[in-house]
Amino acid sequence: MVPHHQRIYNMAAPINMWWILIWACITVAFAKQKPVTVSLNAKWSSTPLLLEASEYIAGESNDKFWEFVDGVSALTPEQVQSDTEQSNYHLIQKYAAKVLSPLHVRLMKFSLSLRSFSPAIENFQQMSKEEPAPEECDMFVSINGEKTCDVSKVDDVIKTAADKTKTPVYKFDHVYPGTANKDVVAALYGELGKPGFSELHEKLKSLSKQKKVTYVLRHFVKSPSEKKTRLSGYGVELAIKSTEYKAKDDTKIEVKGDGTNVDEEDQLDDEVQGFDFAKLKELHPDQKEDLRKLRNHLISSSSELAALKVWELQDLSYQAAQKVLNADPEEQIKVLQDYSQNFPSRTRSLVKVHVKNDMKNEINQNKKVFESALSLGAGESAMLLNGIPVEMEVYDVYTLLDLMKSEARLMEGLFSLGFKGAELEKFMRLDLGGDSKEFALDIRHTAIQFLNDLENDQKYKNWPKNIQDLLRPTFPGMLRHVAKNIFHLVFFVDPTSKTDIELIKMAEAFLVHSAPIRLSVVFVVNFDQDADPKEDASVAISRAFDYIRQEHTFPKALSFVTDIYEKAKGEEITAKMVMKELKKKYSDTDVTEVFGKDNDEYDVLRIAAKDYIERSGLADFPQVLLNGIPLKKNYLTEDTFEEGVVSQIMAQTPDIQRAVYQGNLHDYMNVLEYLMEKEHVLPRLNSRVLSPSTQTLYFSSSIDDSLTLDSLYQKTSGQITAITARDMKYLRRKDEESLTPVTVWVVCDVETPKGRELLYSAIRQLKHSHEMRLGVVFNHDSVLTSDLAVTKAVYVALQSLDNNHAKSLITKLIKEENVEALKSGDKKIEDLEVHGMDMKSYMAALEKETTDFLNHHGMFVRNVLGWGEGDRGLVANGKVCGPLDEDEKFTTEDVDLLTKVEYQNVARSIKTQMLLMGIDGSRGSELIMKISSLLSSKTSTTERKELNELKDQHSAIKLPADPDTPAYQIEVVLDPVSQEAQKIAPMIKVLREVVNVDVKIYMNCRDKLSEMPVKNYYRYVLEPDLTFRPDGSLTSGPVARFTDLPQKSILTMGVNPPESWLVESVKAPHDLDNLLLEEVESGVNAEFALEYILIEGHCSDVTTGQPPRGLQFTLGTNASKPSVDTIVMANLGYFQLKANPGVWFLTLREGRSRDIYDIAGHEMTDTPQESDDVVVSINSFKSKIIRVKVEKKKDKMSEQLLKDEDDDKSIWDSISSSFKPKEETEEKVLNIFSLASGLMYERLMRIMMLSVLKHTESKVKFWFLKNYLSPSFKDFIPKMAKEYGFEYELVQYKWPRWLNQQKEKQRVMWGYKILFLDVLFPLDVKKFIFVDADQVVRTDLQELNDLDLEGAPYGYTPFCSSRKEMDGFRFWKSGYWASHLAGREYHISALYVVDLKKFRRIAAGDRLRGQYQGLSQDPNSLSNLDQDLPNNMIHQVAIKSLPQDWLWCETWCSDESKKTAKTIDLCNNPLTKEPKLKAALRILPEWKEYDYEVKVLWDKVYNTNTRLQVEYEPPNIDETKIGSTLHSHDEL
């Protein structure tokens, strides 16, 4: 049967076209489309695309960045600055393609479309303002602060530069590669491709190569563009607004032009009511205008919203899924996007869609997998990229692009090795080291003497002694108290180090509190045999400890050590102090015997410790081992130690329980002996091997087989690595080429004893290992004079001999006695002949061999590894271990550990996969090395999810990728009618245009819907590439464009930017809160700006580990000029600061914060090395989250930031702050806080302000929440302030990501009324009064400000109860509220006064946020958030009930009580639903006078006639006095 929409289309054959047009023309007049468009610009100038592209390339590698810079700077400026922007864009792609892979070029184009790197360019631009350019220079060099743009003067400047302060070099700086002069930093501020750049660049390159300067390139645009940077990557919604209460101001808006001037394509590419306009446009290109009219008419007749019956709502989610899946595969994403983003207008067409049982059944089957694999309920969404979960609430497109870039390296690497499709995917998702055990160190040694014995000590005698007790169930996190020595905790600590002292105290605490752990403390002290115990404190403690444990007991010995710390009270411990304390505690001690230099009776533990530490390879102290496994470093602090020990015990317990259960571990056995015989326990654990490799080689660069290191003029590190790997010859255990999963390269100079020793250790290990093959990289130290006989002999053996002969000969060649004999002439190489080798051929090859190979290997060591000549180290499957320190030993056991770690963590999984694919021999070994290196460099450590069990025949969109290029795997689970679908659908549509993607979208529908699942229209602004006009110029950029909107419904606009953006509207002639398109002439255009990018942080006090509540930070472009400030919350120690691209300095605010605290440390900042400042750079659109640790000054340990003394003015003055600091005056300031959204509420708020001002003598300062104010209000308020003499400030705070988000604008605003009061205002605001926008004040609010709140942090007015006919609406009189309030009043939030000092002191804000976080998880709770929350918390945060006459509202209060009302609020009336303006005119006689007065002022400022449109008879007021303070020509 022909589908309905096709049947209609078939009518539209050419012959019927005219009938359709005639029918369209004779219908009612065509509706004119009224599009709504939204654009968003950054506040900085548009940055050059060439520079943005260079930043993308820098993200890939520093080498590629400089290669790109060299390539472009070799062109003439005329070639770079092409005729058009489009040809310039092509040039960028051409030169980028020389250094980037095709996939990365596509991602770069996408990043240019997003303008991802514009903040990075602007960051450098702002840095240049701190070093202003000399006036005559278009670009310049700053050499340690001295500037010139004359190439010929650079050398002269350098001569004096070393004496000046070094220019700081940041992590994000572009530093020319190679070793250079670190003391002279030459920063080139210039624009690539502009005249003069090439000369300065070449000069600084040359100086860098001569090691005279460190060359740093910073982008600097002398003449920035007049255009702003147009942004994308955000969403715009138009939500359908409830019209229960009218909230629209009917004052006509004068709009100059329709404001819809945006680059647009004809909207003739969709289907409306069965007409396929894309096809019609193709068939009738000459009828475009008529087709547009027809489409507009069809839309106007279908876009109006009609209410659905309840039974029609039930299956909408399934019907939408069916509608999407019925479409052609290539159209499915487009249909999904259309139906999710325009859902309110599409519901009518969905009601009739028949849902197939196959689809419904499959979705219901899949729901079980969604639940088990992804923890998703019905209707919830998830997105996976190559198996990595992409959290849509958190991820913005910039973060997604970063993830795609990091995955690209992996995908392209695997693809270049010949893997495609399913094979490639298997490697991507390999679970590396899934069941691998952590390596342990054998702790059976005389140095390790235990302090306690759980099996024999008296204190544990009442504990159960049967090892079977380990199997008893227990509470999570609880340790089992069994009198068996199962867990052995060994501390390796320096008894004089302040950090280690805390660990020793923890050991004593474990002992005192009878933790079920056996303890040992090994002191890491001065192991020099000549150390004098009477002079060296560490040796003295070791001797005293050894003496007491021998003569008395271990616990007493440990107690003695901790007593010394108590006596020292933080001062340095001396040997004399130890001796004195020992004599005092144990008076019969012979001090000369215990501390005698030549007496080693009490030196047993120190001598044993030295032996054990040397043998075990332990380093980087302190170290703590549990059953031989080292605890992670982050657990070795006072705060985290206990957690670390318990979590490690919990991790080890299951294995021991299993051994008991299976009968492998019995009561009669020594548990320590049993544990130490395990496979993963080694006699030596080298800390270097176990710490993660900081460098991984990249083997996947494609190279021509004929390419050699000699034939390459400019080689990238990837090419050098690939050629070195191709030409490497290997030693194996046996002759046959079996699959060896670990490839080790030994980097050494075999002319030195240490180099030979390292190679010998590796060869010895090779003789025992099936898992390893061995190659040699010769790193000769050219300073050492040598004939290179050994080097050449080893190299030729590798190149020309078979495996066994080569191995035996090399072993002989590197033995020290043979090297000595060769050098002295006692032996010749022929004398070292191995049985069976062809000595003659070998000698001939040795004779011919040149030293060219040393240059090749040297190039690899210098350019790829970045090591110096003669440096030693190893590379295991591409993971670099080294360079080793001068005297560092690397034994056979260490090589064994290195191969074991690599095999267990990565190579074993790859080997298994190789064998399954049937790949063996040296090809397999080579592939394992390359794949292991690739997979180890994976940036994402997130577990990759598998969705193999899902069915996809009837309920999934499947869009396969091109098999011939690397492809991303995107798997999505979504409800087609959800807010997540609105964002995901356009994102996937764009990604498919950008890169090769294999897409699967599984439907996760909800059934039995009882309300509309989506009540908004949505656009996600994202473009796959830059767009150009026919003349080659760039279009103005991406916009959100809404068409086909209902004309009669009121819509409210919201912008959903990435988490770290603060966005404001800058041009909006219409009321964006109440858009009614039938009243709009031709369309609505709103312009928004990215006002700030957020810096977020978490702060803690290092002493207590707690957040320092009330601590203030400031941020400025240099350390001495703060521009914004913030306050630290107790919730997570969270703070946020507003910034824009640039380098910012974070400091403690002057005053009490700086008096009491110092910054003790920070993480995730951009502070340069050797700097004490806390530097944060904003150089991307992504969130910047930092961590700061502070500590109290020694003399301020007992001080509190937030004091209790109400009368202590000087203390509060010292932390007094304001965003605009002013001289402190005695004058009282009345602080009034309010917020509004939409033109009507702004109109009401201006009236409220006027009523406050008319009734007070006090100085008034208004505080407005900036987040939702219209551009017109923000423009008018300074004029009003000037006219009426008040102060004002716009405050804003971004809703923190960790606090449960509200979706509706109204509820978000309610949240701002109560949740952030402690951090919205500066600390010098002691009290404020919140007044609702729709209120009119009839008294002096100073009276309320001065009211005694009797210890409560805030005062609210209770709801009136005098209007009896409203009793049915008083929900607080019954049910939950009646029992919760227990006789207390329920308060209204229209007017309240807050004592901010008290509020902050009792952490009221933190308590309110904590309670909100718990309650708001339930969407049905906190229905009136701003009122319900404080009333719910009335028992924890007291409310002072204000006298009833402070707030009168007709809905709840009787007419009689109006006479004494001090303020009147225009509450909504649920009975009458009367519009606010109508109610205002009826209830408040003075309202129209205030309103008219403001309108007169408005008209005088803007030369408009709004006062002619008022809804009332104009009052008789003297208009000449209004606006007298304004100079009209300034304002017009």
Side-chain angles (χ1 to χ4, degrees), residues 242 342 439 542 740 773 801 864 868 1307 1366 1399:
S242 164
N342 302 305
F439 290 101
S542 175
T740 45
R773 60 178 188 159
L801 298 178
V864 180
R1307 292 184 62 77
M1366 299 303 290
F1399 189 88

Side-chain angles (χ1 to χ4, degrees), residues 1098-1113:
H1098 299 277
C1099 178
S1100 61
D1101 183 329
V1102 289
T1103 317
T1104 63
Q1106 297 300 311
R1109 199 163 45 84
L1111 188 76
Q1112 287 187 292
F1113 286 114

Side-chain angles (χ1 to χ4, degrees), residues 1004-1240:
N1004 183 18
C1005 302
R1006 283 175 294 163
D1007 52 8
K1008 297 188 173 60
L1009 296 175
S1010 58
E1011 61 175 0
M1012 284 276 279
V1014 173
K1015 299 170 186 169
N1016 67 351
Y1017 296 85
Y1018 192 86
R1019 298 293 181 266
Y1020 191 67
V1021 184
L1022 197 63
E1023 297 291 341
D1025 200 353
L1026 293 166
T1027 53
F1028 297 89
R1029 298 188 182 94
D1031 64 359
S1033 64
L1034 262 173
T1035 59
S1036 56
V1039 294
R1041 183 179 174 83
F1042 295 85
T1043 53
D1044 317 350
L1045 292 168
Q1047 307 289 300
K1048 294 180 167 61
S1049 300
I1050 293 181
L1051 304 169
T1052 181
M1053 183 184 288
V1055 175
N1056 304 128
E1059 278 290 345
S1060 57
W1061 292 12
L1062 276 170
V1063 167
E1064 66 168 342
S1065 59
V1066 289
K1067 186 181 170 194
H1070 300 88
D1071 183 356
L1072 300 183
D1073 219 46
N1074 297 283
L1075 281 175
L1076 185 58
L1077 290 180
E1078 71 177 356
E1079 293 182 357
V1080 170
E1081 276 297 309
S1082 56
V1084 175
N1085 180 30
E1087 291 177 20
F1088 287 78
L1090 171 58
E1091 192 181 9
Y1092 297 110
I1093 297 173
L1094 223 52
I1095 295 172
E1096 295 172 278
H1098 299 277
C1099 178
S1100 61
D1101 183 329
V1102 289
T1103 317
T1104 63
Q1106 297 300 311
R1109 199 163 45 84
L1111 188 76
Q1112 287 187 292
F1113 286 114
T1114 58
L1115 196 69
T1117 46
N1118 61 48
S1120 58
K1121 283 190 198 163
S1123 56
V1124 291
D1125 66 0
T1126 192
I1127 301 167
V1128 175
M1129 285 181 184
N1131 304 110
L1132 308 176
Y1134 177 79
F1135 62 89
Q1136 61 174 240
L1137 289 151
K1138 304 185 286 282
N1140 269 315
V1143 172
W1144 298 87
F1145 291 80
L1146 185 81
T1147 52
L1148 288 169
R1149 191 182 182 97
E1150 225 173 285
R1152 198 159 179 77
S1153 292
R1154 201 179 289 182
D1155 292 345
I1156 296 176
Y1157 281 95
D1158 287 322
I1159 292 177
H1162 47 91
E1163 296 168 32
M1164 281 101 90
T1165 57
D1166 300 287
T1167 301
Q1169 288 179 332
E1170 303 155 19
S1171 170
D1172 296 328
D1173 295 319
V1174 183
V1175 180
V1176 185
S1177 161
I1178 296 282
N1179 57 0
S1180 84
F1181 285 122
K1182 297 195 303 296
S1183 303
K1184 191 86 178 181
I1185 301 173
I1186 63 173
R1187 298 190 184 281
V1188 182
K1189 291 192 167 153
V1190 294
E1191 65 181 336
K1192 282 185 176 175
K1193 295 178 175 169
K1194 282 214 165 69
D1195 56 338
K1196 303 282 185 182
M1197 295 306 277
S1198 57
E1199 290 273 2
Q1200 294 300 315
L1201 266 175
L1202 302 173
K1203 289 287 240 179
D1204 268 339
E1205 297 91 56
D1206 287 334
D1207 54 351
D1208 194 344
K1209 294 286 187 271
S1210 63
I1211 285 176
W1212 280 94
D1213 290 346
S1214 74
I1215 53 172
S1216 167
S1217 82
S1218 169
F1219 295 97
K1220 298 170 187 166
K1222 292 183 174 68
E1223 290 296 317
E1224 197 67 46
T1225 65
E1226 291 302 310
E1227 187 179 1
K1228 277 188 175 179
V1229 177
L1230 188 56
N1231 291 293
I1232 308 294
F1233 174 44
S1234 194
L1235 47 85
S1237 174
L1239 298 187
M1240 187 191 81

Side-chain angles (χ1 to χ4, degrees), residues 801 805 833-834 836-843:
L801 298 178
H805 292 144
E833 182 174 354
V834 175
M837 73 177 269
D838 183 348
M839 196 65 187
K840 193 174 175 187
S841 303
Y842 171 77
M843 290 307 294

Side-chain angles (χ1 to χ4, degrees), residues 490-493 618-625 630-631 633 636 687:
V490 186
F491 294 75
F492 291 86
V493 282
L618 272 183
D620 190 19
F621 298 104
Q623 293 272 10
V624 180
L625 314 183
L631 257 61
K633 282 288 180 188
L636 302 188
S687 302

Side-chain angles (χ1 to χ4, degrees), residues 67-105:
E67 199 181 327
F68 179 74
V69 169
D70 282 341
V72 174
S73 67
L75 300 170
T76 64
E78 292 73 35
Q79 286 172 303
V80 178
Q81 302 305 318
S82 326
D83 302 337
T84 66
E85 289 169 307
Q86 193 166 11
S87 52
N88 183 253
Y89 183 50
H90 291 317
L91 180 106
I92 292 168
Q93 290 173 59
K94 177 183 169 185
Y95 279 84
K98 294 183 179 183
V99 294
L100 295 177
S101 65
L103 174 53
H104 270 296
V105 171

